Amino acid sequence: MSVRRLAPDPVQPKSFAFTKENAAWAKTVISKFPPGRQASAVIALLWRAQEQHDYWLPKAAIETVGEMLEMPTIRVLEIATFYSMFNLAPVGQHFVQVCGTTPCRLRGAEKIIGICRKEIGEERHVSDDGAFAWLEVECLGACCNAPMVQINNDFYEDLDEENFTRLLSDLRAGKPVRKGSQTGRSASEPARDRKSLQDGALYDGSAIGGWTKAFADRVKRAEAARKAAAEAAAPPPTAAPSPAAEAKPARASRKPANGSAK
Ligand code: FES
């Protein structure tokens, strides 16, 4: 892990203040924490400050966040310098983070890094036109679509020399670009010879609730089968006596009145 320091003084702005909208947002975030625990909002506020300030955190922003949360500046500085998601120096308009971990390496990350060197310059330096800076990072969690890069907040995947060069040039020219896979595949479906998950209903929303219905049907069928089995196992009902039989008088006893039989 490299040492992370604040940018040198010449590039540091004199002051920092949240915009009106961001200040209102920060107030809401702080109010979510109990009194005395407002420091818990520090990462959220630092992140918003970075987004507002061209994707990097100047010293003045770190101090401002400390004042808003009543935290000593050193505590905020510790957090800003610990997490690599906070940039401490200018990163250009488009900050390119290239994944250099094994799956991306095996799929050509070396070539993507080569293009960064050629098109942007050395790592951690802003290009001459201020458009780009780049950095090699560890796995960004999109290994299925390797090699990939993150540019500001978005992922660009399935890169090769041609589509990555075109992507940089379109971003530089301010043209709209496609986010995600650059080869057109949806999410991380198989890149070719797709043999599964081909039913369009899986993706158009029509299958929503399908599992609930299938489960309810299965319960109904099981209940009907149980009832049928119970009926089949039950003994046949005994015949009810006919009204004529009920009306017949009881037979007289053959037993003599004195109780002796001859
Ligand atoms: S290895 Fe590159 S995204 Fe995981």
Side-chain angles (χ1 to χ4, degrees):
M1 189 181 187
S2 58
V3 176
R4 288 166 47 78
R5 298 181 194 287
L6 294 178
D9 277 349
V11 294
Q12 292 285 349
K14 294 260 177 298
S15 62
F16 172 88
F18 277 117
T19 59
K20 208 170 146 207
E21 293 76 25
N22 284 343
W25 171 89
K27 210 171 157 191
T28 310
V29 172
I30 295 167
S31 71
K32 290 179 182 170
F33 298 97
R37 303 285 180 193
Q38 64 273 32
S40 300
V42 66
I43 288 186
L45 265 63
L46 284 175
W47 183 257
R48 185 56 67 103
Q50 173 164 289
E51 283 183 329
Q52 181 183 309
H53 194 264
D54 296 335
Y55 216 67
W56 73 281
L57 272 181
K59 186 172 168 230
I62 291 170
E63 289 166 349
T64 302
V65 169
E67 280 161 24
M68 290 170 78
L69 300 178
E70 297 174 26
M71 290 172 73
T73 304
I74 186 66
R75 297 287 316 281
V76 187
L77 192 61
E78 282 167 358
I79 292 161
T81 53
F82 179 80
Y83 291 105
S84 58
M85 67 186 189
F86 295 123
N87 299 315
L88 304 174
V91 289
Q93 206 184 341
H94 306 287
F95 180 42
V96 183
Q97 299 180 70
V98 187
C99 172
T101 304
T102 312
C104 281
R105 285 270 168 190
L106 292 171
R107 296 273 296 164
E110 199 63 51
K111 289 178 182 162
I112 302 303
I113 289 171
I115 291 169
C116 285
R117 285 213 167 87
K118 185 170 151 224
E119 299 287 330
I120 302 172
E122 279 314 300
E123 193 178 15
R124 296 172 192 274
H125 284 90
V126 180
S127 59
D128 293 341
D129 58 1
F132 294 104
W134 74 276
L135 180 68
E136 182 182 335
V137 295
E138 299 302 324
C139 177
L140 287 168
C143 325
C144 288
N145 297 43
M148 57 81 64
V149 301
Q150 178 178 343
I151 302 180
N152 293 349
N153 289 336
D154 298 307
F155 278 12
Y156 298 84
E157 304 151 351
D158 294 326
L159 300 173
D160 57 28
E161 287 170 284
E162 191 190 330
N163 64 27
F164 185 55
T165 307
R166 190 169 57 241
L167 175 67
L168 292 184
S169 122
D170 286 349
L171 285 170
R172 188 172 258 135
K175 292 187 188 166
V177 294
R178 178 195 173 98
K179 291 167 188 164
S181 170
Q182 298 301 297
T183 57
R185 68 166 153 162
S186 170
S188 51
E189 67 184 7
R192 62 185 84 84
D193 298 335
R194 190 147 67 95
K195 294 186 174 67
S196 60
L197 305 176
Q198 300 194 61
D199 183 352
L202 289 170
Y203 314 103
D204 63 9
S206 61
I208 293 172
W211 272 110
T212 313
K213 186 175 174 316
F215 183 72
D217 288 350
R218 198 184 310 164
V219 169
K220 252 191 235 167
R221 280 200 303 275
E223 181 61 23
R226 192 194 59 72
K227 213 169 156 189
E231 281 171 9
T238 48
S242 69
E246 276 178 353
K248 218 173 173 180
R251 286 177 68 186
S253 171
R254 289 192 198 157
K255 208 172 175 182
N258 62 5
S260 63
K262 296 209 175 157

